[in-house]
């Protein structure tokens, strides 16, 4: 496995399936991690699975003050910070003609604005140490669109554009900024789909299956490692061939 030995990482949205898999993969690769999310109990359960080695910092992305404080808390808890993984996000799905302004703003604020603020907060310390990795978790729908998810698609597409801009600004300082765009991944969310819905989706995936959270985590570990030092401003699509770009 690609080594992250000696690296210190903050992972948001760690109480979910993909975030939890990323945290486990980072620990297995030798990193020290701070895991963040809204569900304290879920974070504690994940930490127990990892042998209690992580630092737990709860944070609600809709709370601007909490978002501002999170990177500093992680840096203090870990004794430094080398890697930021922004995985947390929310969805408020409905057709555009029915979408309320609050549904739009909540998703944009949580998925895009909070991600920008976290990215911005780590740039100064990363530039000072002339090294750092930022990986923002986008989505396949950021590129292909999806009915009923105008707000979610906009937030994830904005994340990709933002990440490219930041990459262009800071790459000369040894900092890389990349995105990972998962397709349909087997999580608690996709488990809610009935058998017919799952079949309709998998029929359109060349790999003929949903991905596993570990498939995403492997890509994130690679982008966080020294092996990816010459990769920046890119989006790694992990979708089983659903969208080939």
């Amino acid at each position: 496995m690609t080594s992250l030995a000696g690296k210190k990482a903050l992972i948001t949205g760690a109480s979910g399936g993909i975030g939890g898999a990323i945290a486990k993969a980072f620990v297995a690769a030798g990193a020290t991690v701070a895991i963040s999310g809204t569900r304290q109990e879920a974070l504690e359960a994940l930490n127990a699975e990892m042998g209690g080695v992580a630092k737990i910092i709860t944070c609600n992305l809709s709370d601007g003050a909490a978002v501002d404080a999170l990177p500093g808390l992680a840096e203090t808890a870990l004794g430094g910070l080398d890697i930021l993984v922004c995985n947390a996000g929310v969805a408020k799905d409905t057709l555009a003609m029915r979408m309320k302004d609050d549904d739009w703003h909540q998703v944009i604020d949580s998925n895009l604005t909070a991600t920008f603020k976290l990215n911005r907060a780590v740039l100064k310390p990363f530039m000072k140490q002339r090294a750092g990795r930022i990986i923002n978790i986008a989505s396949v729908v950021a590129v292909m669109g999806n009915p009923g998810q105008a707000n979610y698609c906009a937030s994830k597409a904005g994340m990709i554009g933002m990440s490219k801009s930041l990459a262009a600004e800071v790459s000369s300082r040894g900092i890389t900024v990349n995105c990972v765009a998962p397709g349909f991944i087997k999580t608690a969310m996709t488990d809610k789909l009935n058998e017919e819905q799952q079949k309709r989706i998998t029929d359109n995936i060349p790999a003929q299956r949903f991905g596993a959270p570990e498939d995403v985590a492997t890509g994130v570990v690679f982008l966080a490692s020294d092996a990816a030092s010459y990769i920046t401003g890119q989006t790694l699509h992990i979708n089983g061939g659903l969208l080939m770009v």
Side-chain angles (χ1 to χ4, degrees):
M1 178 179 287
T2 305
S3 175
L4 297 179
K7 302 297 184 182
K8 302 175 179 68
L10 167 61
I11 302 166
T12 73
S15 53
I18 292 176
I22 293 170
K24 291 176 185 177
F26 269 48
V27 169
T32 304
V33 301
I35 53 176
S36 180
T38 57
R39 296 181 291 139
Q40 176 78 21
E41 188 174 321
L43 293 173
E44 290 176 353
L46 171 63
N47 194 26
E49 288 183 48
M50 298 189 297
V53 297
K55 305 296 184 182
I56 297 174
I57 309 172
T58 56
C59 180
N60 188 332
L61 294 186
S62 64
D63 183 339
V67 172
D68 289 338
L70 179 58
L73 292 173
E75 188 173 3
T76 298
L78 296 172
L81 194 62
D82 305 292
I83 303 162
L84 170 67
V85 180
C86 290
N87 172 69
V90 300
K92 296 277 186 178
D93 298 347
T94 189
L95 294 175
M97 66 177 67
R98 298 173 184 167
M99 187 174 292
K100 298 177 181 178
D101 287 352
D102 283 349
D103 293 335
W104 173 270
H105 290 300
Q106 284 181 30
V107 172
I108 296 296
D109 289 348
S110 293
N111 296 0
L112 181 56
T113 303
T115 297
F116 169 71
K117 292 174 75 173
L118 292 172
N119 280 212
R120 181 180 62 186
V122 302
L123 290 180
K124 188 173 182 179
F126 282 5
M127 291 177 74
K128 185 176 181 180
Q129 65 197 29
R130 301 191 70 85
R133 297 283 185 269
I134 299 173
I135 301 104
N136 297 317
I137 308 302
S139 170
V140 66
V141 300
V143 180
M144 65 187 293
N146 200 33
Q149 287 194 309
N151 49 3
Y152 186 81
C153 294
S155 71
K156 295 299 187 177
M159 180 187 291
I160 291 174
M162 178 200 73
S163 298
K164 290 179 179 180
S165 297
L166 294 182
E169 292 179 10
V170 301
S171 292
S172 64
R173 300 298 185 95
I175 305 165
T176 66
V177 187
N178 292 291
C179 289
V180 170
F184 285 93
I185 306 299
K186 191 168 181 56
T187 62
M189 183 179 296
T190 56
D191 286 344
K192 295 177 182 177
L193 299 172
N194 62 41
E195 188 174 329
E196 181 182 347
Q197 290 171 320
Q198 293 192 34
K199 183 180 185 304
R200 187 164 62 247
I201 293 168
T202 53
D203 283 347
N204 290 317
I205 301 174
Q208 290 290 289
R209 67 174 179 87
F210 283 13
E214 291 74 18
D215 294 322
V216 179
T218 299
V220 178
V221 169
F222 169 68
L223 289 175
S225 73
D226 291 341
S229 63
Y230 201 56
I231 299 173
T232 195
Q234 304 302 311
T235 299
L236 175 60
H237 290 271
I238 302 176
N239 60 43
L242 175 64
L243 181 69
M244 301 184 186
V245 291

